[in-house]
């Protein structure tokens, strides 16, 4: 004989439903725990400012100083006195400068007008009478003789500076000077690649002899002259 079970007394028949409900409740609690947020407690403070209390200042009473008005200008005198000029002024008499027929005519001798002498510089290339270098007095072409003697003078007194040789400095120095009205040499100027070469060129020019000055229209004048001096290493 088989025992019969009461369907109402079967405890395991709703176990699946209870498992699903328990699982759903558990997942809901876990989700709520994960999503739970907490905030710091904030205190509400009264940050308003009572502006009326700070602006309530006492304004000091000021007294206005009244300046007195300026005095009125002095009144003009009612009576004007006229002062007579007692000094006598001599009248200037202008005499006539016209001559009459009765006056004698005085003859005037010839007046000598002195020609004004201009102090000018006449270049060597255009001067009428070139300066005469000592030794060129008897030469017909004194201009060519002057230049020839200048080259001879430079070659005779030429000396290459030792410091320029050691430094390997070479080049051309342009020398400009003026033959004065008394035949002396002045206003010497140099322009070259090195100070030592310019110094040597000035020494050579300083040894030039005194010359016969150049003349323009028979009058002694200053004559500028320029010449290059070449310094070349062997």
């Amino acid at each position: 004989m088989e025992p019969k079970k009461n369907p109402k007394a079967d405890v395991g028949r709703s176990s699946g439903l209870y498992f699903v409900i328990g699982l759903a409740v558990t997942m809901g609690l876990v989700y709520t725990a994960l999503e739970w947020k907490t905030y710091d407690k904030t205190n509400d403070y009264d940050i308003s400012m009572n502006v009326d209390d700070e602006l309530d200042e006492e304004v000091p009473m000021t007294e206005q100083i009244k300046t007195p008005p300026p005095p009125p200008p002095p009144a003009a005198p009612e009576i004007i006195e006229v002062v007579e000029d007692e000094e006598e002024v001599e009248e200037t008499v202008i005499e006539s400068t016209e001559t009459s027929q009765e006056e004698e005519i005085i003859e005037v001798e010839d007046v000598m007008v002195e020609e004004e002498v201009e102090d000018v510089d006449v270049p060597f290339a255009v001067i009428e009478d070139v300066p005469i270098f000592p030794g060129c007095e008897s030469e017909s072409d004194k201009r060519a003789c002057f230049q020839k003697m200048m080259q001879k003078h430079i070659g005779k007194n030429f000396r290459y500076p030792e410091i320029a040789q050691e430094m390997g400095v070479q080049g051309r120095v342009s020398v400009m000077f003026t033959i004065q009205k008394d035949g002396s040499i002045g206003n010497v100027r140099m322009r070259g690649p090195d100070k030592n070469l310019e110094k040597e060129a000035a020494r050579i020019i300083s040894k030039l002899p005194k010359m016969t000055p150049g003349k323009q229209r028979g009058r002694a004048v200053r004559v500028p002259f320029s010449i290059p001096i070449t310094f070349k290493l062997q």
Side-chain angles (χ1 to χ4, degrees):
M1 181 175 178
E2 294 180 0
K4 296 182 179 179
K5 293 184 180 180
N6 189 0
K8 294 182 180 180
D10 190 3
V11 182
R13 63 177 182 175
S14 301
S15 60
L17 177 62
Y18 295 150
F19 177 76
V20 173
I21 293 173
L23 182 60
V25 172
T26 303
M27 291 181 67
L29 292 175
V30 173
Y31 179 77
T32 303
L34 292 175
E35 295 295 328
W36 183 266
K37 296 181 180 180
T38 58
Y39 299 94
D40 295 336
K41 185 179 180 181
T42 58
N43 297 325
D44 296 333
Y45 298 100
D46 184 9
I47 59 174
S48 62
M49 182 182 296
N50 190 357
V51 182
D52 296 336
D53 295 341
E54 294 187 0
L55 296 180
D56 189 9
E57 296 181 359
E58 294 183 0
V59 180
M61 297 297 292
T62 57
E63 183 180 356
Q64 185 177 3
I65 301 174
K66 296 182 180 180
T67 56
E78 297 180 356
I79 302 174
I80 300 176
E81 296 181 359
V82 179
V83 179
E84 295 182 358
D85 190 2
E86 297 180 355
E87 296 182 1
E88 295 181 358
V89 180
E90 296 182 0
E91 295 182 359
T92 303
V93 179
I94 301 176
E95 297 180 356
S96 176
T97 57
E98 296 182 358
T99 58
S100 62
Q101 296 180 354
E102 297 178 356
E103 293 181 359
E104 296 181 358
I105 300 175
I106 302 175
E107 294 182 358
V108 180
E109 298 179 357
D110 294 337
V111 179
M112 298 295 293
V113 179
E114 295 183 359
E115 185 179 355
E116 185 177 356
V117 179
E118 296 182 0
D119 192 10
V120 296
D121 295 349
V122 182
F124 184 86
V126 298
I127 192 170
E128 294 177 354
D129 299 331
V130 298
I132 301 174
F133 202 99
C136 295
E137 291 82 1
S138 60
E139 296 291 333
S140 58
D141 191 352
K142 293 181 173 57
R143 193 183 303 270
C145 181
F146 182 93
Q147 295 181 351
K148 179 181 177 181
M149 295 298 289
M150 280 293 302
Q151 294 293 341
K152 185 178 179 181
H153 172 82
I154 293 172
K156 180 180 178 181
N157 295 275
F158 183 85
R159 185 178 61 191
Y160 211 113
E162 294 182 1
I163 186 171
Q165 294 182 24
E166 295 174 359
M167 296 174 62
V169 178
Q170 61 182 354
R172 185 175 65 178
V173 179
S174 297
V175 184
M176 294 154 283
F177 59 90
T178 302
I179 304 170
Q180 305 292 344
K181 291 189 290 185
D182 60 351
S184 61
I185 306 300
N187 194 21
V188 182
R189 292 165 293 167
M190 284 79 59
R191 184 175 60 185
D194 184 71
K195 295 294 183 182
N196 296 311
L197 301 184
E198 292 180 356
K199 186 177 179 180
E200 174 61 18
R203 186 190 67 82
I204 295 173
I205 298 302
S206 65
K207 291 183 173 296
L208 283 171
K210 192 171 183 179
M211 309 177 188
T212 302
K215 294 181 179 181
Q216 186 74 7
R217 297 180 182 178
R219 186 177 292 108
V221 293
R222 295 192 301 264
V223 181
F225 187 80
S226 62
I227 188 171
I229 300 178
T230 304
F231 294 82
K232 186 177 181 180
L233 294 172
Q234 299 296 332

mmCIF file of all heavy atoms in Angstrom, residues 48-93:
data_model
loop_
_atom_site.group_PDB
_atom_site.id
_atom_site.type_symbol
_atom_site.label_atom_id
_atom_site.label_comp_id
_atom_site.label_asym_id
_atom_site.label_seq_id
_atom_site.Cartn_x
_atom_site.Cartn_y
_atom_site.Cartn_z
ATOM 1 N N SER A 48 25.528 88.637 5.567
ATOM 2 C CA SER A 48 25.080 89.971 5.169
ATOM 3 C C SER A 48 25.775 91.026 6.006
ATOM 4 O O SER A 48 26.183 90.763 7.143
ATOM 5 C CB SER A 48 23.557 90.082 5.300
ATOM 6 O OG SER A 48 23.187 89.889 6.650
ATOM 7 N N MET A 49 25.971 92.200 5.440
ATOM 8 C CA MET A 49 26.673 93.294 6.107
ATOM 9 C C MET A 49 25.694 94.433 6.339
ATOM 10 O O MET A 49 24.922 94.791 5.439
ATOM 11 C CB MET A 49 27.837 93.795 5.249
ATOM 12 C CG MET A 49 28.643 94.904 5.890
ATOM 13 S SD MET A 49 29.941 95.479 4.792
ATOM 14 C CE MET A 49 30.908 94.000 4.678
ATOM 15 N N ASN A 50 25.762 94.936 7.501
ATOM 16 C CA ASN A 50 24.909 96.065 7.850
ATOM 17 C C ASN A 50 25.598 97.335 7.354
ATOM 18 O O ASN A 50 26.464 97.894 8.025
ATOM 19 C CB ASN A 50 24.668 96.111 9.361
ATOM 20 C CG ASN A 50 23.589 97.109 9.731
ATOM 21 O OD1 ASN A 50 23.067 97.797 8.859
ATOM 22 N ND2 ASN A 50 23.244 97.180 11.018
ATOM 23 N N VAL A 51 25.261 97.733 6.121
ATOM 24 C CA VAL A 51 25.916 98.876 5.501
ATOM 25 C C VAL A 51 25.517 100.178 6.178
ATOM 26 O O VAL A 51 26.305 101.119 6.269
ATOM 27 C CB VAL A 51 25.569 98.914 3.995
ATOM 28 C CG1 VAL A 51 26.281 100.072 3.313
ATOM 29 C CG2 VAL A 51 25.966 97.601 3.340
ATOM 30 N N ASP A 52 24.345 100.199 6.685
ATOM 31 C CA ASP A 52 23.872 101.457 7.287
ATOM 32 C C ASP A 52 24.711 101.855 8.481
ATOM 33 O O ASP A 52 24.962 103.026 8.729
ATOM 34 C CB ASP A 52 22.398 101.313 7.687
ATOM 35 C CG ASP A 52 21.517 101.100 6.468
ATOM 36 O OD1 ASP A 52 21.957 101.511 5.370
ATOM 37 O OD2 ASP A 52 20.430 100.515 6.612
ATOM 38 N N ASP A 53 25.202 100.849 9.242
ATOM 39 C CA ASP A 53 25.989 101.179 10.436
ATOM 40 C C ASP A 53 27.342 101.778 10.061
ATOM 41 O O ASP A 53 27.863 102.663 10.733
ATOM 42 C CB ASP A 53 26.197 99.916 11.287
ATOM 43 C CG ASP A 53 24.867 99.394 11.846
ATOM 44 O OD1 ASP A 53 23.920 100.204 11.866
ATOM 45 O OD2 ASP A 53 24.797 98.209 12.206
ATOM 46 N N GLU A 54 27.973 101.290 8.948
ATOM 47 C CA GLU A 54 29.292 101.791 8.565
ATOM 48 C C GLU A 54 29.212 103.161 7.911
ATOM 49 O O GLU A 54 30.136 103.950 7.982
ATOM 50 C CB GLU A 54 29.964 100.813 7.615
ATOM 51 C CG GLU A 54 30.293 99.480 8.280
ATOM 52 C CD GLU A 54 31.097 98.585 7.373
ATOM 53 O OE1 GLU A 54 31.380 99.036 6.248
ATOM 54 O OE2 GLU A 54 31.442 97.462 7.777
ATOM 55 N N LEU A 55 28.146 103.431 7.198
ATOM 56 C CA LEU A 55 28.031 104.702 6.498
ATOM 57 C C LEU A 55 27.515 105.810 7.387
ATOM 58 O O LEU A 55 27.426 106.952 6.961
ATOM 59 C CB LEU A 55 27.109 104.549 5.286
ATOM 60 C CG LEU A 55 27.612 103.596 4.201
ATOM 61 C CD1 LEU A 55 26.598 103.536 3.071
ATOM 62 C CD2 LEU A 55 28.953 104.038 3.683
ATOM 63 N N ASP A 56 27.213 105.475 8.576
ATOM 64 C CA ASP A 56 26.672 106.485 9.490
ATOM 65 C C ASP A 56 27.829 107.235 10.122
ATOM 66 O O ASP A 56 28.341 106.852 11.179
ATOM 67 C CB ASP A 56 25.786 105.814 10.540
ATOM 68 C CG ASP A 56 25.032 106.853 11.370
ATOM 69 O OD1 ASP A 56 25.094 108.035 10.992
ATOM 70 O OD2 ASP A 56 24.405 106.464 12.373
ATOM 71 N N GLU A 57 28.362 108.226 9.419
ATOM 72 C CA GLU A 57 29.486 109.019 9.908
ATOM 73 C C GLU A 57 29.027 110.439 10.174
ATOM 74 O O GLU A 57 28.141 110.973 9.490
ATOM 75 C CB GLU A 57 30.621 109.042 8.878
ATOM 76 C CG GLU A 57 31.218 107.665 8.620
ATOM 77 C CD GLU A 57 32.341 107.737 7.619
ATOM 78 O OE1 GLU A 57 32.605 108.861 7.149
ATOM 79 O OE2 GLU A 57 32.936 106.690 7.321
ATOM 80 N N GLU A 58 29.712 111.028 11.095
ATOM 81 C CA GLU A 58 29.397 112.412 11.433
ATOM 82 C C GLU A 58 30.235 113.337 10.559
ATOM 83 O O GLU A 58 31.448 113.227 10.512
ATOM 84 C CB GLU A 58 29.700 112.673 12.903
ATOM 85 C CG GLU A 58 28.791 111.886 13.855
ATOM 86 C CD GLU A 58 29.080 112.224 15.301
ATOM 87 O OE1 GLU A 58 29.982 113.062 15.527
ATOM 88 O OE2 GLU A 58 28.411 111.663 16.184
ATOM 89 N N VAL A 59 29.596 114.194 9.841
ATOM 90 C CA VAL A 59 30.280 115.151 8.965
ATOM 91 C C VAL A 59 30.582 116.397 9.768
ATOM 92 O O VAL A 59 29.669 117.022 10.316
ATOM 93 C CB VAL A 59 29.403 115.490 7.750
ATOM 94 C CG1 VAL A 59 30.127 116.479 6.845
ATOM 95 C CG2 VAL A 59 29.053 114.219 6.987
ATOM 96 N N PRO A 60 31.890 116.771 9.860
ATOM 97 C CA PRO A 60 32.208 117.964 10.659
ATOM 98 C C PRO A 60 31.689 119.232 9.984
ATOM 99 O O PRO A 60 31.650 119.344 8.763
ATOM 100 C CB PRO A 60 33.745 117.954 10.722
ATOM 101 C CG PRO A 60 34.155 117.183 9.508
ATOM 102 C CD PRO A 60 33.081 116.148 9.299
ATOM 103 N N MET A 61 31.304 120.139 10.774
ATOM 104 C CA MET A 61 30.795 121.413 10.273
ATOM 105 C C MET A 61 31.970 122.296 9.868
ATOM 106 O O MET A 61 32.945 122.443 10.605
ATOM 107 C CB MET A 61 29.961 122.095 11.358
ATOM 108 C CG MET A 61 28.711 121.304 11.767
ATOM 109 S SD MET A 61 27.547 121.104 10.407
ATOM 110 C CE MET A 61 27.026 122.806 10.214
ATOM 111 N N THR A 62 31.926 122.825 8.662
ATOM 112 C CA THR A 62 32.978 123.712 8.169
ATOM 113 C C THR A 62 32.447 125.132 8.097
ATOM 114 O O THR A 62 31.287 125.358 7.745
ATOM 115 C CB THR A 62 33.447 123.273 6.769
ATOM 116 O OG1 THR A 62 32.326 123.265 5.894
ATOM 117 C CG2 THR A 62 34.046 121.876 6.800
ATOM 118 N N GLU A 63 33.336 126.042 8.430
ATOM 119 C CA GLU A 63 32.959 127.456 8.421
ATOM 120 C C GLU A 63 33.559 128.119 7.185
ATOM 121 O O GLU A 63 34.751 128.012 6.927
ATOM 122 C CB GLU A 63 33.483 128.145 9.673
ATOM 123 C CG GLU A 63 33.079 129.606 9.773
ATOM 124 C CD GLU A 63 33.626 130.255 11.025
ATOM 125 O OE1 GLU A 63 34.241 129.539 11.839
ATOM 126 O OE2 GLU A 63 33.429 131.461 11.176
ATOM 127 N N GLN A 64 32.773 128.748 6.372
ATOM 128 C CA GLN A 64 33.227 129.408 5.152
ATOM 129 C C GLN A 64 33.864 130.742 5.492
ATOM 130 O O GLN A 64 33.260 131.577 6.179
ATOM 131 C CB GLN A 64 32.040 129.608 4.199
ATOM 132 C CG GLN A 64 32.464 130.170 2.853
ATOM 133 C CD GLN A 64 31.287 130.288 1.894
ATOM 134 O OE1 GLN A 64 30.150 129.993 2.281
ATOM 135 N NE2 GLN A 64 31.554 130.711 0.682
ATOM 136 N N ILE A 65 35.129 130.907 5.010
ATOM 137 C CA ILE A 65 35.858 132.146 5.283
ATOM 138 C C ILE A 65 35.541 133.135 4.179
ATOM 139 O O ILE A 65 35.763 132.856 3.004
ATOM 140 C CB ILE A 65 37.371 131.870 5.371
ATOM 141 C CG1 ILE A 65 37.657 130.844 6.474
ATOM 142 C CG2 ILE A 65 38.136 133.160 5.597
ATOM 143 C CD1 ILE A 65 39.108 130.412 6.542
ATOM 144 N N LYS A 66 35.056 134.231 4.539
ATOM 145 C CA LYS A 66 34.702 135.265 3.569
ATOM 146 C C LYS A 66 35.853 136.235 3.430
ATOM 147 O O LYS A 66 36.297 136.825 4.415
ATOM 148 C CB LYS A 66 33.438 136.001 4.016
ATOM 149 C CG LYS A 66 32.203 135.109 4.067
ATOM 150 C CD LYS A 66 30.975 135.902 4.479
ATOM 151 C CE LYS A 66 29.725 135.021 4.525
ATOM 152 N NZ LYS A 66 28.520 135.803 4.919
ATOM 153 N N THR A 67 36.395 136.353 2.202
ATOM 154 C CA THR A 67 37.494 137.289 1.954
ATOM 155 C C THR A 67 36.917 138.650 1.583
ATOM 156 O O THR A 67 35.928 138.743 0.843
ATOM 157 C CB THR A 67 38.369 136.785 0.793
ATOM 158 O OG1 THR A 67 37.545 136.600 -0.355
ATOM 159 C CG2 THR A 67 39.005 135.443 1.128
ATOM 160 N N PRO A 68 37.544 139.681 2.090
ATOM 161 C CA PRO A 68 37.018 141.027 1.781
ATOM 162 C C PRO A 68 37.254 141.359 0.317
ATOM 163 O O PRO A 68 38.224 140.897 -0.287
ATOM 164 C CB PRO A 68 37.839 141.938 2.696
ATOM 165 C CG PRO A 68 39.098 141.176 2.961
ATOM 166 C CD PRO A 68 38.700 139.735 3.010
ATOM 167 N N PRO A 69 36.385 142.114 -0.308
ATOM 168 C CA PRO A 69 36.563 142.480 -1.720
ATOM 169 C C PRO A 69 37.770 143.381 -1.906
ATOM 170 O O PRO A 69 38.182 144.089 -0.979
ATOM 171 C CB PRO A 69 35.258 143.209 -2.059
ATOM 172 C CG PRO A 69 34.775 143.722 -0.744
ATOM 173 C CD PRO A 69 35.168 142.710 0.295
ATOM 174 N N PRO A 70 38.401 143.373 -3.081
ATOM 175 C CA PRO A 70 39.577 144.228 -3.320
ATOM 176 C C PRO A 70 39.181 145.700 -3.289
ATOM 177 O O PRO A 70 38.047 146.066 -3.600
ATOM 178 C CB PRO A 70 40.054 143.805 -4.712
ATOM 179 C CG PRO A 70 38.844 143.231 -5.360
ATOM 180 C CD PRO A 70 38.049 142.583 -4.266
ATOM 181 N N PRO A 71 40.115 146.546 -2.891
ATOM 182 C CA PRO A 71 39.799 147.984 -2.837
ATOM 183 C C PRO A 71 39.552 148.536 -4.230
ATOM 184 O O PRO A 71 40.122 148.050 -5.210
ATOM 185 C CB PRO A 71 41.058 148.592 -2.206
ATOM 186 C CG PRO A 71 42.154 147.616 -2.518
ATOM 187 C CD PRO A 71 41.500 146.265 -2.490
ATOM 188 N N PRO A 72 38.706 149.495 -4.355
ATOM 189 C CA PRO A 72 38.426 150.072 -5.685
ATOM 190 C C PRO A 72 39.635 150.827 -6.217
ATOM 191 O O PRO A 72 40.465 151.321 -5.462
ATOM 192 C CB PRO A 72 37.244 151.019 -5.407
ATOM 193 C CG PRO A 72 37.390 151.362 -3.960
ATOM 194 C CD PRO A 72 37.929 150.148 -3.269
ATOM 195 N N PRO A 73 39.800 150.892 -7.541
ATOM 196 C CA PRO A 73 40.943 151.619 -8.121
ATOM 197 C C PRO A 73 40.834 153.114 -7.821
ATOM 198 O O PRO A 73 39.738 153.649 -7.669
ATOM 199 C CB PRO A 73 40.811 151.330 -9.624
ATOM 200 C CG PRO A 73 39.377 151.005 -9.829
ATOM 201 C CD PRO A 73 38.912 150.328 -8.568
ATOM 202 N N PRO A 74 41.998 153.771 -7.728
ATOM 203 C CA PRO A 74 41.950 155.216 -7.439
ATOM 204 C C PRO A 74 41.281 155.986 -8.576
ATOM 205 O O PRO A 74 41.433 155.653 -9.746
ATOM 206 C CB PRO A 74 43.430 155.597 -7.300
ATOM 207 C CG PRO A 74 44.168 154.543 -8.063
ATOM 208 C CD PRO A 74 43.374 153.289 -7.897
ATOM 209 N N ALA A 75 40.534 156.964 -8.205
ATOM 210 C CA ALA A 75 39.819 157.769 -9.198
ATOM 211 C C ALA A 75 40.774 158.693 -9.938
ATOM 212 O O ALA A 75 41.786 159.147 -9.398
ATOM 213 C CB ALA A 75 38.732 158.589 -8.519
ATOM 214 N N ALA A 76 40.500 158.916 -11.220
ATOM 215 C CA ALA A 76 41.342 159.788 -12.032
ATOM 216 C C ALA A 76 41.164 161.242 -11.592
ATOM 217 O O ALA A 76 40.078 161.650 -11.185
ATOM 218 C CB ALA A 76 40.961 159.637 -13.499
ATOM 219 N N PRO A 77 42.233 162.011 -11.630
ATOM 220 C CA PRO A 77 42.101 163.432 -11.233
ATOM 221 C C PRO A 77 41.180 164.181 -12.193
ATOM 222 O O PRO A 77 41.183 163.935 -13.401
ATOM 223 C CB PRO A 77 43.537 163.953 -11.300
ATOM 224 C CG PRO A 77 44.246 163.024 -12.234
ATOM 225 C CD PRO A 77 43.611 161.683 -12.039
ATOM 226 N N GLU A 78 40.399 165.013 -11.630
ATOM 227 C CA GLU A 78 39.443 165.755 -12.451
ATOM 228 C C GLU A 78 40.112 166.862 -13.242
ATOM 229 O O GLU A 78 39.719 167.172 -14.362
ATOM 230 C CB GLU A 78 38.353 166.333 -11.549
ATOM 231 C CG GLU A 78 37.538 165.255 -10.831
ATOM 232 C CD GLU A 78 36.467 165.845 -9.940
ATOM 233 O OE1 GLU A 78 36.430 167.099 -9.851
ATOM 234 O OE2 GLU A 78 35.682 165.083 -9.343
ATOM 235 N N ILE A 79 41.167 167.462 -12.685
ATOM 236 C CA ILE A 79 41.831 168.582 -13.356
ATOM 237 C C ILE A 79 43.141 168.101 -13.945
ATOM 238 O O ILE A 79 43.948 167.488 -13.264
ATOM 239 C CB ILE A 79 42.088 169.744 -12.368
ATOM 240 C CG1 ILE A 79 40.759 170.213 -11.761
ATOM 241 C CG2 ILE A 79 42.808 170.885 -13.064
ATOM 242 C CD1 ILE A 79 40.942 171.240 -10.671
ATOM 243 N N ILE A 80 43.344 168.337 -15.228
ATOM 244 C CA ILE A 80 44.579 167.964 -15.919
ATOM 245 C C ILE A 80 45.405 169.218 -16.121
ATOM 246 O O ILE A 80 44.974 170.168 -16.767
ATOM 247 C CB ILE A 80 44.261 167.306 -17.275
ATOM 248 C CG1 ILE A 80 43.425 166.042 -17.050
ATOM 249 C CG2 ILE A 80 45.542 166.969 -18.026
ATOM 250 C CD1 ILE A 80 42.978 165.384 -18.324
ATOM 251 N N GLU A 81 46.605 169.198 -15.549
ATOM 252 C CA GLU A 81 47.480 170.352 -15.653
ATOM 253 C C GLU A 81 48.361 170.214 -16.890
ATOM 254 O O GLU A 81 48.934 169.153 -17.140
ATOM 255 C CB GLU A 81 48.356 170.470 -14.412
ATOM 256 C CG GLU A 81 47.550 170.723 -13.130
ATOM 257 C CD GLU A 81 48.452 170.848 -11.933
ATOM 258 O OE1 GLU A 81 49.688 170.717 -12.125
ATOM 259 O OE2 GLU A 81 47.944 171.087 -10.822
ATOM 260 N N VAL A 82 48.466 171.236 -17.664
ATOM 261 C CA VAL A 82 49.302 171.257 -18.854
ATOM 262 C C VAL A 82 50.589 171.986 -18.509
ATOM 263 O O VAL A 82 50.551 173.156 -18.117
ATOM 264 C CB VAL A 82 48.593 171.951 -20.031
ATOM 265 C CG1 VAL A 82 49.500 171.974 -21.256
ATOM 266 C CG2 VAL A 82 47.281 171.243 -20.345
ATOM 267 N N VAL A 83 51.711 171.287 -18.634
ATOM 268 C CA VAL A 83 53.009 171.872 -18.311
ATOM 269 C C VAL A 83 53.633 172.368 -19.597
ATOM 270 O O VAL A 83 53.792 171.611 -20.564
ATOM 271 C CB VAL A 83 53.918 170.822 -17.632
ATOM 272 C CG1 VAL A 83 55.277 171.440 -17.315
ATOM 273 C CG2 VAL A 83 53.256 170.282 -16.390
ATOM 274 N N GLU A 84 53.960 173.606 -19.619
ATOM 275 C CA GLU A 84 54.567 174.184 -20.809
ATOM 276 C C GLU A 84 56.040 173.847 -20.877
ATOM 277 O O GLU A 84 56.726 173.809 -19.864
ATOM 278 C CB GLU A 84 54.387 175.714 -20.788
ATOM 279 C CG GLU A 84 52.925 176.155 -20.880
ATOM 280 C CD GLU A 84 52.796 177.654 -20.901
ATOM 281 O OE1 GLU A 84 53.863 178.321 -20.812
ATOM 282 O OE2 GLU A 84 51.672 178.151 -21.022
ATOM 283 N N ASP A 85 56.503 173.574 -22.094
ATOM 284 C CA ASP A 85 57.917 173.253 -22.322
ATOM 285 C C ASP A 85 58.677 174.562 -22.457
ATOM 286 O O ASP A 85 58.529 175.294 -23.437
ATOM 287 C CB ASP A 85 58.053 172.406 -23.589
ATOM 288 C CG ASP A 85 59.463 171.851 -23.718
ATOM 289 O OD1 ASP A 85 60.285 172.092 -22.822
ATOM 290 O OD2 ASP A 85 59.727 171.178 -24.738
ATOM 291 N N GLU A 86 59.494 174.842 -21.442
ATOM 292 C CA GLU A 86 60.227 176.103 -21.439
ATOM 293 C C GLU A 86 61.546 176.023 -22.196
ATOM 294 O O GLU A 86 62.164 177.037 -22.464
ATOM 295 C CB GLU A 86 60.492 176.531 -19.990
ATOM 296 C CG GLU A 86 59.200 176.807 -19.214
ATOM 297 C CD GLU A 86 59.487 177.222 -17.791
ATOM 298 O OE1 GLU A 86 60.687 177.187 -17.410
ATOM 299 O OE2 GLU A 86 58.544 177.583 -17.065
ATOM 300 N N GLU A 87 62.026 174.766 -22.486
ATOM 301 C CA GLU A 87 63.306 174.643 -23.185
ATOM 302 C C GLU A 87 63.126 174.971 -24.660
ATOM 303 O O GLU A 87 62.162 174.557 -25.288
ATOM 304 C CB GLU A 87 63.858 173.220 -23.038
ATOM 305 C CG GLU A 87 64.195 172.857 -21.596
ATOM 306 C CD GLU A 87 64.776 171.465 -21.497
ATOM 307 O OE1 GLU A 87 64.912 170.822 -22.565
ATOM 308 O OE2 GLU A 87 65.102 171.040 -20.378
ATOM 309 N N GLU A 88 64.083 175.688 -25.197
ATOM 310 C CA GLU A 88 64.053 176.060 -26.604
ATOM 311 C C GLU A 88 64.842 175.041 -27.415
ATOM 312 O O GLU A 88 65.969 174.702 -27.065
ATOM 313 C CB GLU A 88 64.658 177.459 -26.802
ATOM 314 C CG GLU A 88 63.849 178.562 -26.130
ATOM 315 C CD GLU A 88 64.459 179.925 -26.377
ATOM 316 O OE1 GLU A 88 65.522 179.960 -27.045
ATOM 317 O OE2 GLU A 88 63.894 180.911 -25.903
ATOM 318 N N VAL A 89 64.237 174.555 -28.465
ATOM 319 C CA VAL A 89 64.879 173.569 -29.325
ATOM 320 C C VAL A 89 65.420 174.268 -30.551
ATOM 321 O O VAL A 89 64.697 174.995 -31.243
ATOM 322 C CB VAL A 89 63.866 172.479 -29.737
ATOM 323 C CG1 VAL A 89 64.539 171.459 -30.645
ATOM 324 C CG2 VAL A 89 63.278 171.814 -28.507
ATOM 325 N N GLU A 90 66.713 174.063 -30.793
ATOM 326 C CA GLU A 90 67.331 174.699 -31.946
ATOM 327 C C GLU A 90 66.892 173.985 -33.217
ATOM 328 O O GLU A 90 66.897 172.762 -33.288
ATOM 329 C CB GLU A 90 68.858 174.648 -31.823
ATOM 330 C CG GLU A 90 69.390 175.442 -30.644
ATOM 331 C CD GLU A 90 70.902 175.402 -30.590
ATOM 332 O OE1 GLU A 90 71.493 174.736 -31.487
ATOM 333 O OE2 GLU A 90 71.487 176.020 -29.699
ATOM 334 N N GLU A 91 66.552 174.735 -34.183
ATOM 335 C CA GLU A 91 66.129 174.169 -35.454
ATOM 336 C C GLU A 91 67.360 173.809 -36.297
ATOM 337 O O GLU A 91 68.355 174.521 -36.299
ATOM 338 C CB GLU A 91 65.267 175.170 -36.222
ATOM 339 C CG GLU A 91 63.944 175.484 -35.530
ATOM 340 C CD GLU A 91 63.104 176.438 -36.348
ATOM 341 O OE1 GLU A 91 63.585 176.849 -37.431
ATOM 342 O OE2 GLU A 91 61.992 176.758 -35.912
ATOM 343 N N THR A 92 67.245 172.678 -36.958
ATOM 344 C CA THR A 92 68.343 172.220 -37.809
ATOM 345 C C THR A 92 68.163 172.800 -39.207
ATOM 346 O O THR A 92 67.129 172.592 -39.845
ATOM 347 C CB THR A 92 68.358 170.686 -37.886
ATOM 348 O OG1 THR A 92 68.464 170.168 -36.545
ATOM 349 C CG2 THR A 92 69.526 170.185 -38.716
ATOM 350 N N VAL A 93 69.154 173.518 -39.630
ATOM 351 C CA VAL A 93 69.098 174.151 -40.943
ATOM 352 C C VAL A 93 69.838 173.270 -41.934
ATOM 353 O O VAL A 93 71.014 172.941 -41.745
ATOM 354 C CB VAL A 93 69.719 175.568 -40.909
ATOM 355 C CG1 VAL A 93 69.675 176.189 -42.299
ATOM 356 C CG2 VAL A 93 69.005 176.429 -39.887
#
